[in-house]
Amino acid sequence: MPDVDPTQSEPQTIKADQTSCVPNSEPTLISYNTRTQPTLMHSLLTSFAGALFLASTSLVSAAPALQRRDSTWLPAQGGCWSDNTNGQRALDKNLGGFDDLTPAKCQSLCDAQGFNLAGVEFGRECFCGNTVFGNNRPTSASVCSMTCSGDAGQTCGGQNGIYIYVKNNYPFTVGPASVLDAYNGYQNPSCWQDSVSNRIFSGRPSTDIPADQMTVQKCIDGCAAAGFSSAGLEFGRECFCGNASTPPAASAPQNECDMPCLGDASRYCGGSNRLLIYHKPANNVPQPNPGPASPAPPTSPAPPVPPVPVTKTYKGVIQVLTADTNLIVGYLNKDTQNGISKYSLDPTNREQFTFTAPTGQTVSRAEITAVDTIDGYPFLGLIEGYANSDSYIGPGNWQYLFVGGVSHSAPGATPQTGANSYFISARQYESAVWTINSATGDITPQWINPDGSKPTTYLMGWYGYIGFGSGDPAQTNAHFGHNDGTIKFKFIPNP
């Protein structure tokens, strides 16, 4: 939960409205359904009995999560807020649409993911967050008058009207954002070009900061506690530390560091590949006690030594998102279907995974270990598809890969044949196929073909609940008569 310090940042904070209630009018119910029924499912199940079965997609209908007993949800400032103002969503986590939505269900789903704000919209959509973004503001209750898809006796927002509930009187902030000029001696914020492959700063704060709770103040405090003189924020959710007042990188216009902090919508936290850096002048950096006076002190202090990256074993869950809209569609499950990993939004059934990497750095050809194993196999890997004639994938090739449990294969090696979690027969597989950014949690696959070539490897969502890999999503879709989008994996560390 973000700790807002009004004496330092002066954000606007809002608490729950203890007297407001949900409007319950009788509007014309607008009904729409973008859910499509697969017409090839029977044949697909016959031909691909080992496919990765999943819960739902962008309109996933997950079982309601159990709401925490100590959580009290009340309307935020009257409840009804404008949404999508100037194209900016009020809450940043879109859980999708539900055919059985109620305010309580949305609150439970957001509560289970650790959010303090829950919003219902258009009768069937659920959003979560910790801060209200942009110029979205409280509005007339009549804007939030659509009946809930799960209970016609309740209302669930409206068109571009979101009814927001706040948990336990959480003091959330609202946008629009601005740059915080200075905090705790760290000042002169400047915007710099950054990249995943060549980070400006490799240091990390003394304590991990959850992405959805990121604020400028928390990043600076964390870097200061770790002994760094510079703190950098990126992508609204990332914090890096260093000791350079003038980084060895190209500067960027200040308006390119334009992403609000996920934990404080009133302040900017960098941008996409743009690092917003705060620096504390040397005379303000706490120095260790020098001890007894030396008869010949050095004329200038030695330059600070960058910290040596510490190798760390990370443990957490793997989130599944749509690649184009970052919509969360589930988490990899403990159980499988015919030996292929499944995913869903069920918070009680998430598999725990581990990997090892230098703190805050990217590791390639990594193995991801399933704590409970995947049908007896220790690693999450890629497996040759059942309908394939071989294990080649790539541009112009429709062949595909399953996601499932495998044994160890050497990093950088071509596929090996052997037993794996797929139930039909021995197939070719690889285990060390993952590139993991330990700072952001982003996970990308890289399959190696039998000839040693390395095609760009995509993850796809078959009918939105079957996951597999492909080297050419368009060709795979065309071959099977599908129109499935790409998905991506993200590692979410345990609190």
Side-chain angles (χ1 to χ4, degrees):
M1 181 179 298
D3 296 320
V4 179
D5 184 355
T7 65
Q8 297 289 350
S9 62
E10 300 182 358
Q12 180 179 356
T13 60
I14 296 179
K15 295 190 177 183
D17 185 341
Q18 307 263 351
T19 61
S20 300
C21 60
V22 183
N24 190 359
S25 56
E26 297 292 338
T28 301
L29 176 61
I30 299 176
S31 174
Y32 76 106
N33 185 1
T34 59
R35 187 188 300 275
T36 58
Q37 298 297 327
T39 58
L40 302 178
M41 181 56 67
H42 179 73
S43 61
L44 284 172
L45 291 177
T46 301
S47 301
F48 307 101
L52 167 58
F53 283 86
L54 307 147
S56 154
T57 60
S58 59
L59 296 181
V60 62
S61 180
L66 293 176
Q67 190 163 331
R68 300 173 185 175
R69 293 180 181 272
D70 59 349
S71 297
T72 300
W73 294 84
L74 295 171
Q77 284 294 90
C80 189
W81 291 63
S82 60
D83 193 23
N84 212 25
T85 303
N86 299 325
Q88 175 70 65
R89 287 291 190 185
L91 302 181
D92 66 300
K93 294 294 182 182
N94 183 353
L95 298 189
F98 299 82
D99 293 331
D100 58 349
L101 185 69
T102 63
K105 173 168 182 163
C106 184
Q107 293 162 11
S108 293
L109 292 172
C110 293
D111 199 6
Q113 296 194 34
F115 291 103
N116 296 290
L117 300 176
V120 290
E121 186 166 349
F122 209 65
R124 63 193 318 276
E125 298 173 353
C126 177
F127 295 82
C128 310
N130 287 316
T131 186
V132 178
F133 290 94
N135 286 294
N136 296 296
R137 291 292 184 269
T139 188
S140 170
S142 62
V143 178
C144 296
S145 58
M146 293 184 67
T147 54
C148 301
S149 60
D151 184 352
Q154 300 185 70
T155 54
C156 286
Q159 185 171 4
N160 291 328
I162 183 170
Y163 202 94
I164 299 178
Y165 298 86
V166 58
K167 181 174 70 176
N168 298 336
N169 208 27
Y170 174 71
F172 64 94
T173 56
V174 300
S178 62
V179 176
L180 179 62
D181 292 331
Y183 172 77
N184 198 22
Y186 289 72
Q187 54 192 302
N188 300 324
S190 56
C191 191
W192 298 82
Q193 297 180 27
D194 197 18
S195 69
V196 172
S197 60
N198 188 24
R199 291 289 189 194
I200 294 175
F201 292 155
S202 61
R204 301 292 286 173
S206 59
T207 303
D208 288 341
I209 306 169
D212 55 26
Q213 298 178 20
M214 184 61 65
T215 68
V216 176
Q217 296 93 326
K218 287 187 175 182
C219 180
I220 289 176
D221 285 343
C223 290
F228 294 97
S229 62
S230 298
L233 297 109
E234 189 164 342
F235 208 59
R237 68 192 69 192
E238 300 168 1
C239 177
F240 300 93
C241 309
N243 290 307
S245 59
T246 303
S251 62
Q254 195 75 8
N255 61 7
E256 292 184 5
C257 285
D258 60 352
M259 296 186 70
C261 308
L262 288 191
D264 180 3
S266 70
R267 298 301 183 188
Y268 286 124
C269 281
S272 178
N273 289 326
R274 294 294 183 269
L275 190 68
L276 182 63
I277 295 178
Y278 291 81
H279 182 71
K280 192 167 188 175
N283 60 349
N284 287 334
V285 177
Q287 299 293 327
N289 188 342
S294 171
T299 58
S300 61
V305 179
V308 177
V310 177
T311 299
K312 175 181 177 181
T313 297
Y314 294 82
K315 183 177 182 180
V317 297
I318 295 180
Q319 191 179 72
V320 184
L321 308 93
T322 56
D324 54 348
T325 63
N326 286 322
L327 174 68
I328 301 173
V329 294
Y331 296 80
L332 292 186
N333 284 357
K334 294 180 180 179
D335 56 337
T336 67
Q337 178 72 31
N338 296 326
I340 307 302
S341 299
K342 301 192 297 184
Y343 64 79
S344 74
L345 285 170
D346 180 4
T348 67
N349 196 31
R350 297 173 184 172
E351 175 63 272
Q352 291 282 317
F353 296 91
T354 64
F355 72 92
T356 301
T359 303
Q361 296 191 14
T362 298
V363 58
S364 300
R365 314 304 301 169
E367 288 182 317
I368 298 177
T369 302
V371 172
D372 294 325
T373 76
I374 303 173
D375 286 2
Y377 293 89
F379 301 109
L380 181 74
L382 296 176
I383 306 167
E384 174 192 355
Y386 174 69
N388 293 10
S389 60
D390 53 41
S391 59
Y392 281 89
I393 66 168
N397 187 335
W398 60 264
Q399 295 191 140
Y400 62 97
L401 309 164
F402 289 130
V403 178
V406 300
S407 300
H408 170 74
S409 65
T414 55
Q416 71 180 52
T417 301
N420 52 74
S421 64
Y422 187 52
F423 83 110
I424 288 183
S425 61
R427 314 293 292 173
Q428 290 200 317
Y429 67 85
E430 295 174 26
S431 64
V433 295
W434 308 108
T435 296
I436 311 171
N437 185 326
S438 62
T440 65
D442 293 334
I443 302 173
T444 55
Q446 178 59 72
W447 179 260
I448 298 180
N449 282 326
D451 63 358
S453 60
K454 300 177 181 179
T456 300
T457 309
Y458 303 88
L459 294 172
M460 297 181 66
W462 202 326
Y463 284 129
Y465 54 80
I466 301 172
F468 61 104
S470 170
D472 192 330
Q475 288 292 321
T476 305
N477 275 329
H479 182 82
F480 293 107
H482 291 190
N483 186 28
D484 301 309
T486 52
I487 59 175
K488 60 184 181 180
F489 290 167
K490 186 179 183 69
F491 187 85
I492 307 297
N494 293 335

